Structure formats: C-alpha cells, structure tokens
Amino acid sequence: MARHPALVNIRTCSVLALMLGGCSYLPPAPELPRDVFTTPITNRGHAVTQDQLAQINPGVTTRADVQALLGSPSQTGTFSDDNWYYISGTTQLRPARAIALRAQNTVAISFNGNGTVSGVRQINLREMPSVDFVGRETPSPGNERSLLQALFGNVGRFGPTPGGQPASVGGPPVTTGR
C-alpha cells in the first residue's frame, strides 16, 4: 500500500499542531501587589453611614432615638452632655514606623435643653483644627545634677544611724562611754 504524500503531511501537521498547542498555553501569572511592603488598612472607631444620618431629623429625633440608632457615642462634650461625637478613621501601620492616620470622619450631634437633636455636623480630617503642641518643659524644683554628680554624689556622705549614733565605716561600732 502506497501512502499519498499530501495525506502524510496533513497528519504530521495536525499532530504537531496539537502537541505545540498544548505546550504554548501558560496560565496567567498571579497579580502581585503594587507595593510589597504595604500593610493592611484598618478601620477604627464608630463609623456612621449616610443612611443612618438621613434618619436623624433636627427638632424631632430625641437623645434616646440617636442612641438606639447609632449606639453610644465615641466621645461626649467636655463640660456638658449636649454634644455627642461619633469618631471613625482608617489607619495603616507604616513599615518600621508608627501608625499613620489615613482618613478620619467625625459626626457631631448637638442636643437642645429638651433632649432633641438641634444640629448634625460632619467633620473630616482636613476640617479639623490644627493643634500645635508646646515643646518646652515645666521645670521641677530641686538640684540640677550632672551625670558624674548623680553617680558619685553619695560617696563620703553618711548620715546618723536610726539610733542617733554616727555611722562607722570599716571598723567596730562606735560606742559612747555610758
């Protein structure tokens, strides 16, 4: 039996195409994060949603309604209980550093004398007032001693013993002639 050369070429090409087709497929590489050294972002505090804020009506909603809707506040007013603050934020631990505050949102709810809501404000991190801390220290009364004075300050100082007798150094106890 003689084989036709065109038929052999078709069979050979189809077998080679199947073999090469199976070899050419590579699964997609997993996507790597953009920065390998990033840490996860953590949500902190008491986040208030826009739907919850829409349910608070000034002049109608009472203090008990706000507590039932939002829960206990993160902070209350310093001198009165007429202001409630719900504070939330997102933080991220910076590698080899302290925690960085990425975003912050504060919902301030104020109440009138009757216990109903008189106002609702949202304050984000950009609107917060900047507080500059004073760098100086309050001096404490006493001696300003150097390191050497602190280390060797008690050398040669001996006070009276509890019985009123002078302390002795390296010898028998001192006795009086009684």
Side-chain angles (χ1 to χ4, degrees):
M1 253 197 229
R3 292 189 175 179
H4 194 277
L7 187 59
V8 172
N9 284 341
I10 292 175
R11 284 186 189 164
T12 306
C13 288
S14 61
V15 169
L16 284 175
L18 286 174
M19 288 175 40
L20 291 176
C23 292
S24 66
Y25 176 74
L26 292 175
E31 186 174 324
L32 295 175
R34 291 183 182 184
D35 188 4
V36 178
F37 298 107
T38 59
T39 56
I41 293 176
T42 306
N43 294 320
R44 298 182 182 267
H46 193 112
V48 178
T49 64
Q50 293 298 324
D51 294 335
Q52 290 172 326
L53 284 177
Q55 296 178 25
I56 299 174
N57 298 318
V60 177
T61 308
T62 64
R63 189 181 309 257
D65 295 336
V66 172
Q67 188 164 11
L69 178 65
L70 303 178
S72 297
S74 304
Q75 186 69 37
T76 59
T78 304
F79 300 108
S80 70
D81 196 30
D82 292 340
N83 294 313
W84 285 6
Y85 302 97
Y86 293 90
I87 304 168
S88 64
T90 55
T91 60
Q92 184 175 19
L93 180 65
R94 296 180 292 179
R97 296 186 190 154
I99 293 177
L101 182 63
R102 298 290 180 208
Q104 181 175 342
N105 188 31
T106 302
V107 175
I109 300 175
S110 54
F111 299 96
N112 61 17
N114 298 334
T116 58
V117 174
S118 62
V120 177
R121 292 182 299 141
Q122 281 190 301
I123 308 165
N124 61 25
L125 190 57
R126 290 184 305 258
E127 296 170 348
M128 289 287 191
S130 177
V131 177
D132 295 327
F133 294 101
V134 177
R136 64 180 184 265
E137 296 178 8
T138 304
S140 59
N143 297 348
E144 296 294 327
R145 299 172 66 183
S146 68
L147 178 63
L148 291 176
Q149 289 173 334
L151 289 174
F152 301 111
N154 288 332
V155 174
R157 286 188 183 174
F158 297 101
T161 59
Q165 299 292 328
S168 63
V169 179
V174 178
T175 59
T176 58
R178 291 188 198 175

